[in-house]
Structure formats: structure tokens, C-alpha cells
Amino acid sequence: MKNLIFLCCLASITLVSCNKKVYRFTDESLAGQWSCNRIEYQASWVNNKFADYVQTSNVTKGQLIFKYENNQLFALKNSQWIKGSILTEYNNLPIVEDDGRSIRIKNEYLENQTKNTVNLVEEHTYLIKDTRYNKLNSKSKLVIACIKIASK
């Protein structure tokens, strides 16, 4: 099971690092208005491995608005500016929790980055250590695909 965790982490890092000519966002470059689509995916456990992701929800449209002031990024949420950093949250460092019976892995990262596009991705994997209950293993992915429509 530890090998599986290691391979999941290694695959995440490899997939991100192999991408050619990736635009690297800074908090300052995120400032502006973004039109986004939220899409959810699920992968089933088949033949002792996860199948490919399948889209499980309709596309939901929305907007994100950021501003950059005093060397800090702010997001507009419920008519209030909230300080934070997308780059800190979506850092591609998996969080692994092992309670002895199961393993939970959470990973948040950015993909498909260009100056005016970005996908915010959140993946969750749940693995049962007892192979009799492998059918309960699950894997989900939330993608928020955004296009910049105005700079601030």
C-alpha cells in the first residue's frame, strides 16, 4: 500500500513536471476577472485498479475575481475581499492520511496554464487496505477550468 501511495505521488509530480513550456503564474498575474467552468469526474475501481475518469456532473459556469494589492492576492467572495494565495493552496503537494484501515490522498494543483487560462484541480483518492472491501475504493476529481476575461 505504501508503494501505491508513492506511485500516486510520483505520477502527480511527473505529469506536472513533464509539461512543456508551462506558464508559471504568480499571485500578481492572477489578478483580474476569470470565467470558469466547474466539472466533476469519478473513477471506478475495476480489476484491482482505477478506471479512467468519467464526467459525473453538468458543467457549472461561474466567475472568479482577484485583485493584487500591497504584494498580496485577494479574492472576491460574497461581496468581500478575502486574502489568500491560489498558488499556496494548489501547490501539488499531496496530503496523505493513513488511519490503519484506509488511506486518503488529497492533491490540489494547477494545470493547462497559459497567460490567460488555467485549470484548478482537486483530486481525492480513498483506498481500503483490506482487499475484501476494494470495491469501496474511490477516486474523484474536480476541475475548475478558467479563462481570463479582464485584467485588473
Side-chain angles (χ1 to χ4, degrees):
M1 194 50 76
K2 289 181 183 180
N3 289 340
L4 181 60
I5 295 170
F6 174 76
L7 290 174
C8 288
C9 295
L10 183 61
S12 297
I13 293 167
T14 303
L15 288 173
V16 172
S17 64
C18 288
N19 208 348
K20 298 176 191 167
K21 296 184 182 180
V22 173
Y23 180 82
R24 296 287 179 207
F25 278 103
T26 63
D27 280 341
E28 189 173 10
S29 66
L30 285 169
Q33 187 173 357
W34 295 79
S35 175
C36 303
N37 292 325
R38 175 191 164 109
I39 310 160
E40 295 178 23
Y41 300 89
Q42 195 77 26
S44 301
W45 186 259
V46 180
N47 297 326
N48 292 323
K49 63 181 180 180
F50 285 109
D52 292 337
Y53 280 113
V54 175
Q55 185 174 331
T56 57
S57 70
N58 293 327
V59 175
T60 307
K61 295 185 181 284
Q63 287 193 352
L64 296 174
I65 301 174
F66 299 102
K67 70 177 182 179
Y68 188 78
E69 290 183 352
N70 301 321
N71 295 322
Q72 294 182 327
L73 184 69
F74 294 86
L76 186 61
K77 186 173 183 178
N78 299 326
S79 302
Q80 293 186 359
W81 290 104
I82 309 297
K83 182 174 81 171
S85 173
I86 295 282
L87 303 176
T88 302
E89 184 176 344
Y90 288 83
N91 59 14
N92 198 33
L93 296 175
I95 298 169
V96 179
E97 297 176 1
D98 184 341
D99 66 9
R101 293 180 303 207
S102 64
I103 298 171
R104 288 180 174 85
I105 304 169
K106 177 182 178 183
N107 194 17
E108 298 174 317
Y109 56 93
L110 302 176
E111 69 178 10
N112 296 337
Q113 301 174 54
T114 69
K115 186 175 181 182
N116 294 311
T117 63
V118 66
N119 290 352
L120 289 73
V121 181
E122 184 175 313
E123 289 185 305
H124 294 268
T125 305
Y126 180 69
L127 300 165
I128 306 284
K129 289 183 176 182
D130 188 336
T131 57
R132 294 176 295 171
Y133 302 105
N134 277 351
K135 64 183 176 189
L136 299 174
N137 291 346
S138 64
K139 189 172 181 181
S140 63
K141 180 177 179 179
L142 169 65
V143 177
I144 301 174
C146 300
I147 298 172
K148 195 173 209 176
I149 55 176
S151 296
K152 290 259 179 176

mmCIF file of all heavy atoms in Angstrom, residues 95-110:
data_model
loop_
_atom_site.group_PDB
_atom_site.id
_atom_site.type_symbol
_atom_site.label_atom_id
_atom_site.label_comp_id
_atom_site.label_asym_id
_atom_site.label_seq_id
_atom_site.Cartn_x
_atom_site.Cartn_y
_atom_site.Cartn_z
ATOM 1 N N ILE A 95 -1.564 15.454 0.265
ATOM 2 C CA ILE A 95 -1.786 15.263 1.693
ATOM 3 C C ILE A 95 -2.269 13.828 1.858
ATOM 4 O O ILE A 95 -3.291 13.436 1.294
ATOM 5 C CB ILE A 95 -2.838 16.249 2.230
ATOM 6 C CG1 ILE A 95 -2.340 17.687 2.036
ATOM 7 C CG2 ILE A 95 -3.151 15.962 3.696
ATOM 8 C CD1 ILE A 95 -3.403 18.731 2.285
ATOM 9 N N VAL A 96 -1.521 13.025 2.625
ATOM 10 C CA VAL A 96 -1.834 11.606 2.797
ATOM 11 C C VAL A 96 -2.210 11.357 4.250
ATOM 12 O O VAL A 96 -1.481 11.738 5.159
ATOM 13 C CB VAL A 96 -0.625 10.725 2.398
ATOM 14 C CG1 VAL A 96 -0.944 9.257 2.603
ATOM 15 C CG2 VAL A 96 -0.210 11.002 0.961
ATOM 16 N N GLU A 97 -3.362 10.727 4.453
ATOM 17 C CA GLU A 97 -3.819 10.335 5.789
ATOM 18 C C GLU A 97 -3.990 8.826 5.811
ATOM 19 O O GLU A 97 -4.674 8.267 4.961
ATOM 20 C CB GLU A 97 -5.147 11.016 6.127
ATOM 21 C CG GLU A 97 -5.076 12.521 6.194
ATOM 22 C CD GLU A 97 -6.440 13.151 6.427
ATOM 23 O OE1 GLU A 97 -7.442 12.416 6.551
ATOM 24 O OE2 GLU A 97 -6.501 14.388 6.479
ATOM 25 N N ASP A 98 -3.371 8.175 6.794
ATOM 26 C CA ASP A 98 -3.447 6.722 6.930
ATOM 27 C C ASP A 98 -3.931 6.416 8.340
ATOM 28 O O ASP A 98 -3.235 6.686 9.319
ATOM 29 C CB ASP A 98 -2.065 6.114 6.684
ATOM 30 C CG ASP A 98 -2.072 4.594 6.698
ATOM 31 O OD1 ASP A 98 -3.023 3.999 7.244
ATOM 32 O OD2 ASP A 98 -1.113 4.015 6.169
ATOM 33 N N ASP A 99 -5.155 5.863 8.462
ATOM 34 C CA ASP A 99 -5.701 5.561 9.784
ATOM 35 C C ASP A 99 -5.533 4.085 10.164
ATOM 36 O O ASP A 99 -6.111 3.613 11.129
ATOM 37 C CB ASP A 99 -7.174 5.967 9.868
ATOM 38 C CG ASP A 99 -8.081 5.157 8.952
ATOM 39 O OD1 ASP A 99 -7.621 4.166 8.357
ATOM 40 O OD2 ASP A 99 -9.262 5.526 8.834
ATOM 41 N N GLY A 100 -4.737 3.342 9.382
ATOM 42 C CA GLY A 100 -4.516 1.927 9.658
ATOM 43 C C GLY A 100 -5.427 1.016 8.858
ATOM 44 O O GLY A 100 -5.077 -0.103 8.546
ATOM 45 N N ARG A 101 -6.634 1.479 8.548
ATOM 46 C CA ARG A 101 -7.582 0.678 7.757
ATOM 47 C C ARG A 101 -7.740 1.208 6.339
ATOM 48 O O ARG A 101 -8.106 0.469 5.443
ATOM 49 C CB ARG A 101 -8.949 0.675 8.439
ATOM 50 C CG ARG A 101 -8.955 -0.060 9.765
ATOM 51 C CD ARG A 101 -10.318 -0.015 10.346
ATOM 52 N NE ARG A 101 -10.702 1.397 10.483
ATOM 53 C CZ ARG A 101 -11.545 1.872 11.356
ATOM 54 N NH1 ARG A 101 -12.148 1.067 12.179
ATOM 55 N NH2 ARG A 101 -11.823 3.143 11.419
ATOM 56 N N SER A 102 -7.499 2.515 6.177
ATOM 57 C CA SER A 102 -7.673 3.121 4.858
ATOM 58 C C SER A 102 -6.672 4.258 4.673
ATOM 59 O O SER A 102 -6.063 4.728 5.630
ATOM 60 C CB SER A 102 -9.101 3.653 4.698
ATOM 61 O OG SER A 102 -9.332 4.692 5.633
ATOM 62 N N ILE A 103 -6.548 4.664 3.427
ATOM 63 C CA ILE A 103 -5.641 5.756 3.084
ATOM 64 C C ILE A 103 -6.438 6.780 2.288
ATOM 65 O O ILE A 103 -7.170 6.424 1.357
ATOM 66 C CB ILE A 103 -4.448 5.250 2.247
ATOM 67 C CG1 ILE A 103 -3.636 4.252 3.063
ATOM 68 C CG2 ILE A 103 -3.581 6.412 1.773
ATOM 69 C CD1 ILE A 103 -2.570 3.539 2.272
ATOM 70 N N ARG A 104 -6.303 8.026 2.672
ATOM 71 C CA ARG A 104 -6.928 9.129 1.937
ATOM 72 C C ARG A 104 -5.818 10.008 1.378
ATOM 73 O O ARG A 104 -4.897 10.377 2.108
ATOM 74 C CB ARG A 104 -7.813 9.955 2.852
ATOM 75 C CG ARG A 104 -9.074 9.254 3.259
ATOM 76 C CD ARG A 104 -9.914 10.155 4.176
ATOM 77 N NE ARG A 104 -11.190 9.576 4.467
ATOM 78 C CZ ARG A 104 -11.411 8.699 5.434
ATOM 79 N NH1 ARG A 104 -10.428 8.294 6.196
ATOM 80 N NH2 ARG A 104 -12.616 8.199 5.636
ATOM 81 N N ILE A 105 -5.927 10.341 0.103
ATOM 82 C CA ILE A 105 -4.937 11.199 -0.542
ATOM 83 C C ILE A 105 -5.684 12.374 -1.164
ATOM 84 O O ILE A 105 -6.661 12.187 -1.898
ATOM 85 C CB ILE A 105 -4.160 10.452 -1.645
ATOM 86 C CG1 ILE A 105 -3.512 9.191 -1.077
ATOM 87 C CG2 ILE A 105 -3.106 11.370 -2.280
ATOM 88 C CD1 ILE A 105 -2.962 8.255 -2.142
ATOM 89 N N LYS A 106 -5.220 13.576 -0.856
ATOM 90 C CA LYS A 106 -5.789 14.793 -1.445
ATOM 91 C C LYS A 106 -4.657 15.539 -2.123
ATOM 92 O O LYS A 106 -3.589 15.719 -1.550
ATOM 93 C CB LYS A 106 -6.433 15.668 -0.370
ATOM 94 C CG LYS A 106 -6.986 16.970 -0.897
ATOM 95 C CD LYS A 106 -7.560 17.811 0.232
ATOM 96 C CE LYS A 106 -8.064 19.137 -0.283
ATOM 97 N NZ LYS A 106 -8.561 19.985 0.818
ATOM 98 N N ASN A 107 -4.897 15.956 -3.357
ATOM 99 C CA ASN A 107 -3.887 16.708 -4.090
ATOM 100 C C ASN A 107 -4.559 17.834 -4.860
ATOM 101 O O ASN A 107 -5.569 17.621 -5.525
ATOM 102 C CB ASN A 107 -3.126 15.787 -5.051
ATOM 103 C CG ASN A 107 -1.864 16.426 -5.585
ATOM 104 O OD1 ASN A 107 -1.377 17.408 -5.035
ATOM 105 N ND2 ASN A 107 -1.328 15.890 -6.645
ATOM 106 N N GLU A 108 -4.030 19.036 -4.728
ATOM 107 C CA GLU A 108 -4.542 20.196 -5.447
ATOM 108 C C GLU A 108 -3.407 20.793 -6.262
ATOM 109 O O GLU A 108 -2.312 20.974 -5.751
ATOM 110 C CB GLU A 108 -5.086 21.233 -4.466
ATOM 111 C CG GLU A 108 -6.247 20.726 -3.645
ATOM 112 C CD GLU A 108 -6.686 21.694 -2.568
ATOM 113 O OE1 GLU A 108 -5.824 22.281 -1.894
ATOM 114 O OE2 GLU A 108 -7.904 21.862 -2.416
ATOM 115 N N TYR A 109 -3.692 21.080 -7.531
ATOM 116 C CA TYR A 109 -2.639 21.613 -8.395
ATOM 117 C C TYR A 109 -3.253 22.409 -9.538
ATOM 118 O O TYR A 109 -4.459 22.358 -9.791
ATOM 119 C CB TYR A 109 -1.758 20.482 -8.936
ATOM 120 C CG TYR A 109 -2.500 19.396 -9.676
ATOM 121 C CD1 TYR A 109 -2.655 19.445 -11.051
ATOM 122 C CD2 TYR A 109 -3.049 18.312 -8.993
ATOM 123 C CE1 TYR A 109 -3.335 18.454 -11.729
ATOM 124 C CE2 TYR A 109 -3.724 17.316 -9.667
ATOM 125 C CZ TYR A 109 -3.862 17.391 -11.038
ATOM 126 O OH TYR A 109 -4.539 16.404 -11.705
ATOM 127 N N LEU A 110 -2.385 23.149 -10.228
ATOM 128 C CA LEU A 110 -2.777 23.903 -11.418
ATOM 129 C C LEU A 110 -2.318 23.133 -12.643
ATOM 130 O O LEU A 110 -1.246 22.543 -12.638
ATOM 131 C CB LEU A 110 -2.121 25.288 -11.409
ATOM 132 C CG LEU A 110 -2.415 26.185 -10.212
ATOM 133 C CD1 LEU A 110 -1.609 27.470 -10.307
ATOM 134 C CD2 LEU A 110 -3.889 26.489 -10.086
#
